[in-house]
Amino acid sequence: MATEDPNQTVVSYFFLEGLMYTAEHPSFFFLLFLLIYSITLTGNLLILITVASDPHLSSPMYHFLGHLSFLDACLSTVTVPKVMAGLLSLDGRLISLKGCAVQLYCFHFLASTECFLYTVMAYDRYLAICQPLHYPVAMDRRTCAGLAGLTWALGAVHSATHTSLTFRLLYCGPNRIAYFFCDIPPVLKLACADTAINELAMLASIGIVAVACLILIIFSYGFIAAAVLRIRSSEGRQRAFSTCTSHLTVVCLYYIPPVCIYLQPHSSGAGAGAPAVFYTIVTPALNPFIYTLRNKAMKQALRRLLGHGSAAGSPPPQPVLGLS
């Protein structure tokens, strides 16, 4: 588990303790996580293929949805397979120091990119509903691609910063991570050095940034709600609320748990893994249902893709304030 250094013993492997209560019924939880993971991959890849192949889904909203589906599939892949491996054997819970660094980087890269993407999606809905005449100019193809690329770039920089700060420290003592994957708070607990700078950076760059993004989203939807109430037709209001409530549902499930975790870095432990399950495992599996069952255009596109709906050349539903 460790290698000898002339001055100190350096940890080379970590042991992931996993989620609470799963060790009592490993077979049941293995099958449960396998089912969730299969649903996550199938649902998100199906949305990604649908958005990429259907010409009716060419609006920025669906472009961003394609990015979200790809992120969700990857985010789940970073954590769930390792959790399942740990349920099969104790060796499956071992992870090397380098492997831990890679998992931490990939997780925060994908998770932070998704955090920024939700904010961009809220801004897109704000423009579409509150400024429909200006929307085609403000959110043209180049702007849409630029905003999507910016979320990925910010996520990469954010993750690289925290990964380098975390693994510049020496790990020479205990090697048991009281969590189900390598995340910053539980890993820092094992460091043989002062972690004050890391905790301050985590508070500022993760907790506060997540709160700021959440506030921006709430403000955007405040303006959206006011605009929707001014729509005269009941059908228009219903479609507008349907699109926006699906986004808000996902945002609440995704933002609230990490804000609680990263604003309280000393609360990490086996029990702290419970809220993390929501945005690492549950939300990626729910997104395909939330964004398809409440979206008529997506349902019609899926029927066309699977060959059960109208012909590919049939017209899409008429847009209401850019919501189709």
Side-chain angles (χ1 to χ4, degrees):
M1 298 294 179
T3 57
E4 292 294 330
D5 183 80
N7 298 317
Q8 288 180 304
T9 301
V10 180
V11 170
S12 58
Y13 284 88
F14 290 114
F15 181 85
L16 298 168
E17 293 188 355
L19 290 164
M20 288 183 66
Y21 310 119
T22 56
E24 299 173 6
H25 305 283
S27 298
F28 168 77
F29 283 104
F30 175 84
L31 293 175
L32 177 62
F33 286 126
L34 178 61
L35 176 63
I36 294 174
Y37 184 54
S38 300
I39 292 173
T40 301
L41 288 187
T42 303
N44 283 292
L45 290 179
L46 190 58
I47 287 180
L48 186 60
I49 294 170
T50 304
V51 170
S53 61
D54 197 307
H56 297 149
L57 304 180
S58 58
S59 69
M61 181 176 76
Y62 297 109
H63 176 78
F64 294 134
L65 181 57
H67 282 269
L68 179 63
S69 297
F70 181 75
L71 283 168
D72 279 336
C74 293
L75 184 63
S76 185
T77 300
V78 169
T79 56
V80 179
K82 190 61 180 176
V83 173
M84 292 192 297
L87 293 170
L88 292 177
S89 68
L90 290 179
D91 287 342
R93 298 190 181 190
L94 294 176
I95 186 169
S96 67
L97 182 65
K98 290 182 179 179
C100 186
V102 170
Q103 187 184 51
L104 189 146
Y105 174 81
C106 291
F107 172 75
H108 279 276
F109 171 43
L110 297 167
S112 57
T113 299
E114 190 162 327
C115 175
F116 296 129
L117 183 63
Y118 280 128
T119 309
V120 169
M121 291 174 74
Y123 174 66
D124 172 68
R125 292 301 84 207
Y126 162 76
L127 287 178
I129 298 173
C130 299
Q131 302 182 33
L133 299 179
H134 182 60
Y135 179 67
V137 178
M139 192 61 72
D140 59 13
R141 188 180 297 271
R142 178 179 294 183
T143 303
C144 182
L147 287 173
L150 181 62
T151 63
W152 286 91
L154 289 174
V157 172
H158 171 274
S159 182
T161 301
H162 284 283
T163 303
S164 60
L165 284 175
T166 301
F167 288 94
R168 72 178 176 81
L169 302 174
L170 185 66
Y171 295 89
C172 58
N175 70 328
R176 299 178 69 90
I177 297 177
Y179 218 56
F180 63 98
F181 69 98
C182 288
D183 198 8
I184 298 172
V187 171
L188 286 182
K189 279 191 168 185
L190 306 180
C192 304
D194 184 12
T195 60
I197 294 177
N198 298 73
E199 291 174 5
L200 181 62
M202 181 170 57
L203 176 66
S205 182
I206 300 179
I208 294 178
V209 167
V211 170
C213 288
L214 183 58
I215 291 173
L216 287 174
I217 291 172
I218 291 173
F219 268 102
S220 295
Y221 278 97
F223 286 111
I224 288 171
V228 167
L229 292 174
R230 291 196 295 268
I231 298 177
R232 293 184 179 182
S233 69
S234 59
E235 180 184 358
R237 285 195 300 271
Q238 183 178 0
R239 288 180 59 190
F241 274 122
S242 177
T243 301
C244 297
T245 52
S246 63
H247 186 195
L248 280 176
T249 301
V250 174
V251 165
C252 291
L253 287 173
Y254 188 81
Y255 275 87
I256 295 176
V259 166
C260 296
I261 291 172
Y262 295 112
L263 288 180
Q264 303 179 66
H266 295 290
S267 66
S268 64
V277 169
F278 280 96
Y279 70 99
T280 59
I281 299 176
V282 176
T283 302
L286 289 179
N287 276 354
F289 297 100
I290 292 174
Y291 280 102
T292 55
L293 295 180
R294 300 183 66 87
N295 189 302
K296 186 177 180 180
M298 274 299 303
K299 287 189 287 187
Q300 290 182 351
L302 282 171
R303 292 191 190 101
R304 287 192 292 269
L305 179 69
L306 299 175
H308 298 305
S310 55
S314 61
Q318 293 300 311
V320 176
L321 294 181
L323 285 169
S324 64

